[in-house]
Amino acid sequence: MIFPLLINNKNATMKLPSFIQIYNELITIPTISSVTDGKLDCTNKVVIEKLANWFNDLGFKTTITSVPNTRDKYNLLATYSNNDNLTQGGLLLSGHTDTVPFDEGLWTKDPFKVTELDNKWYGLGTADMKGFFAFILESLRGIDLKSLTKPLHILATADEEITMAGAAYFAQHAQLQPDCTIIGEPTSLIPIRAHKGFVSNIIRITGKSGHSSDPEKGINAIEVMHLVIGKLLELKQKLKDEYHNTSFAVPYPTMNLGIIRGGDAANRICGCCELIMDIRALPEMDIQSLYDLLCQTLKPIMDRYPGRLKVDYEVDPIAGYECQHDNPALMEVEKLVNQKAQTVNYSTEAPFLNQIAPTIVLGPGSIEQAHQPDEFVSTEFLKPTIETLQKIITRFCK
């Protein structure tokens, strides 16, 4: 479905494919992020280069950056400015270019093709969130870019689904200072001003294996982990009792014991046991202090079994983020979309980009479709999203 938009920068936009063609080209290129299965993991370079070409055609200055310590992953920054000011003020629109893997047996549509059916566009990344870049490009067809007085930036990041390395690297080295950042994750076009952090820890117990007929000659790692779990459940209750933020539907930090592995035979003393857990931290909680609290909680067991208990991060922790209610940029966005900002429990790249400018998460599609078989974006979001982006660009860049 293509909407009749006013095209003021005709020469530039005539070079662009149609909205649905852009959408389909983005979905067709696999950009899966996976550290558990290297065969599934893909570079995002082709998508980054394609986006760079499209924004170049519109007169943007583009920079492609290799993200260190990733598996051939890249960021793109595209900037449009009608003066020498390339960094101060204006707007940053941001999204990630990778997707999660897909469950082949559960998909009934081709994940690498946009399938239009029953007022839905199906495909891997249609909602989460490669499709957002198609919306940006389509919205620019209806804007006279030469009328902008402040810079407009487009950021496409790498590896959000695993490490968020792209956003972290960009935030560390960015020179620009926009007035507002919009991350186009699927929020049903409801502005999101805060979310919890994500901390995933691995707790490893190294016991002493031996024959089960003489338990005293060994140290059973499963039994030690039993003691660890008892302490973790005490910490879980402590977090619930002592930390609160009423902005969230679940107003306290949560803990989940997600995976446990240990042992190899019924007649063998378990020599190794591993637990993977997560904590969803409130925005005001310091991640290092949370790690210290975890270690302090487990210290009695560490002292009892010296050198046999180790606490690591599974992946780099993601802090929570919050854009305050009275932030001028947030208030402007709330007025433009006629919606009060909300909070969510899932994580995004906002903690990194919020270091650069007030950041709001706002995009088409529902978060309920993210990471699901037969992912889709409903066509009811198409026209409102384009109109919303045009309003936001006009407000912050003219």
Side-chain angles (χ1 to χ4, degrees):
M1 184 183 299
I2 305 300
F3 301 104
L5 300 175
L6 295 175
I7 301 175
N8 296 318
N9 47 329
K10 290 184 178 179
N11 291 335
T13 56
M14 284 175 62
K15 297 179 182 179
L16 292 178
S18 69
F19 183 27
I20 185 61
Q21 285 176 304
I22 292 174
Y23 224 113
N24 194 56
E25 286 190 45
L26 294 172
I27 301 306
T28 297
I29 303 166
T31 54
I32 292 170
S33 288
S34 175
V35 291
T36 58
D37 188 343
K39 294 179 181 178
L40 293 178
D41 193 67
C42 305
T43 179
N44 68 337
K45 188 175 183 180
V46 177
V47 160
I48 287 290
E49 291 176 340
K50 188 176 287 289
L51 288 170
N53 289 334
W54 285 331
F55 284 109
N56 280 332
D57 287 343
L58 293 177
F60 283 71
K61 177 184 177 182
T62 59
T63 303
I64 296 175
T65 305
S66 176
V67 180
N69 303 314
T70 60
R71 306 156 313 283
D72 197 27
K73 310 291 174 125
Y74 299 83
N75 285 346
L76 166 70
L77 179 64
T79 297
Y80 189 96
S81 180
N82 287 307
N83 50 54
D84 294 333
N85 174 25
L86 299 178
T87 61
Q88 300 300 311
L91 177 69
L92 173 64
L93 299 175
S94 181
H96 62 84
T97 56
D98 61 326
T99 72
V100 293
F102 66 98
D103 300 308
E104 188 170 359
L106 299 180
W107 277 71
T108 64
K109 315 289 190 300
D110 184 346
F112 299 113
K113 177 183 177 182
V114 174
T115 300
E116 186 172 5
L117 181 67
D118 297 331
N119 297 318
K120 300 178 179 70
W121 285 5
Y122 292 90
L124 183 62
T126 50
D128 185 22
M129 58 166 292
K130 287 192 286 185
F132 183 60
F133 296 105
F135 280 103
I136 294 172
L137 287 161
E138 186 67 13
S139 70
L140 294 177
R141 296 184 198 268
I143 292 176
D144 180 5
L145 291 175
K146 293 190 179 300
S147 70
L148 302 184
T149 62
K150 297 180 181 179
L152 172 61
H153 309 280
I154 315 298
L155 174 64
T157 63
D159 229 31
E160 186 269 355
E161 297 291 2
I162 297 177
T163 66
M164 301 201 183
Y169 184 73
F170 177 80
Q172 184 179 359
H173 295 91
Q175 301 298 316
L176 66 160
Q177 294 181 310
D179 296 318
C180 179
T181 294
I182 301 291
I183 300 177
E185 293 276 8
T187 69
S188 300
L189 290 181
I190 297 169
I192 302 301
R193 66 168 195 86
H195 65 62
K196 292 181 179 179
F198 172 74
V199 183
S200 180
N201 289 110
I202 301 178
I203 299 175
R204 294 185 177 93
I205 305 296
T206 303
K208 182 180 178 182
S209 60
H211 199 282
S212 65
S213 63
D214 195 349
E216 297 303 319
K217 289 185 177 180
I219 298 175
N220 193 309
I222 292 177
E223 293 181 7
V224 178
M225 187 63 79
H226 171 72
L227 300 176
V228 167
I229 290 174
K231 287 294 185 182
L232 291 177
L233 294 180
E234 291 178 10
L235 177 59
K236 180 178 181 178
Q237 188 63 45
K238 177 183 177 70
L239 293 173
K240 183 176 181 180
D241 292 342
E242 297 185 8
Y243 298 88
H244 293 90
N245 186 325
T246 56
S247 297
F248 291 89
V250 181
Y252 51 84
T254 58
M255 177 190 293
N256 180 61
L257 309 182
I259 302 171
I260 191 166
R261 307 184 186 100
D264 51 23
N267 62 353
R268 179 174 162 85
I269 298 170
C270 176
C272 182
C273 189
E274 181 179 86
L275 171 70
I276 304 177
M277 53 174 280
D278 88 353
I279 297 176
R280 301 287 172 152
L282 297 173
E284 59 269 26
M285 297 178 73
D286 177 70
I287 297 300
Q288 182 59 49
S289 297
L290 186 59
Y291 177 82
D292 294 341
L293 179 60
L294 175 60
C295 292
Q296 179 184 344
T297 300
L298 298 178
K299 189 175 185 302
I301 304 172
M302 293 178 178
D303 292 342
R304 181 175 173 182
Y305 297 96
R308 297 190 179 277
L309 193 160
K310 188 176 182 182
V311 181
D312 289 318
Y313 289 121
E314 183 187 27
V315 294
D316 288 342
I318 308 300
Y321 115 97
E322 186 168 17
C323 185
Q324 296 298 326
H325 285 287
D326 58 353
N327 184 277
L330 175 62
M331 295 170 68
E332 284 295 328
V333 170
E334 287 178 325
K335 284 193 294 186
L336 289 172
V337 300
N338 196 28
Q339 291 260 18
K340 294 297 292 182
Q342 299 181 12
T343 65
V344 293
N345 292 319
Y346 57 81
S347 295
T348 75
E349 295 170 320
F352 302 101
L353 301 186
N354 202 43
Q355 300 170 26
I356 299 170
T359 297
I360 299 111
V361 186
L362 172 71
S366 168
I367 193 63
E368 300 299 324
Q369 296 306 314
H371 304 186
Q372 297 298 317
D374 289 341
E375 175 186 344
F376 67 83
V377 62
S378 173
T379 56
E380 69 179 352
F381 288 111
L382 301 189
K383 187 175 181 180
T385 302
I386 293 165
E387 292 175 344
T388 296
L389 286 172
Q390 289 175 339
K391 289 178 183 177
I392 293 173
I393 293 169
T394 300
R395 167 60 186 85
F396 286 99
C397 297
K398 280 196 173 181

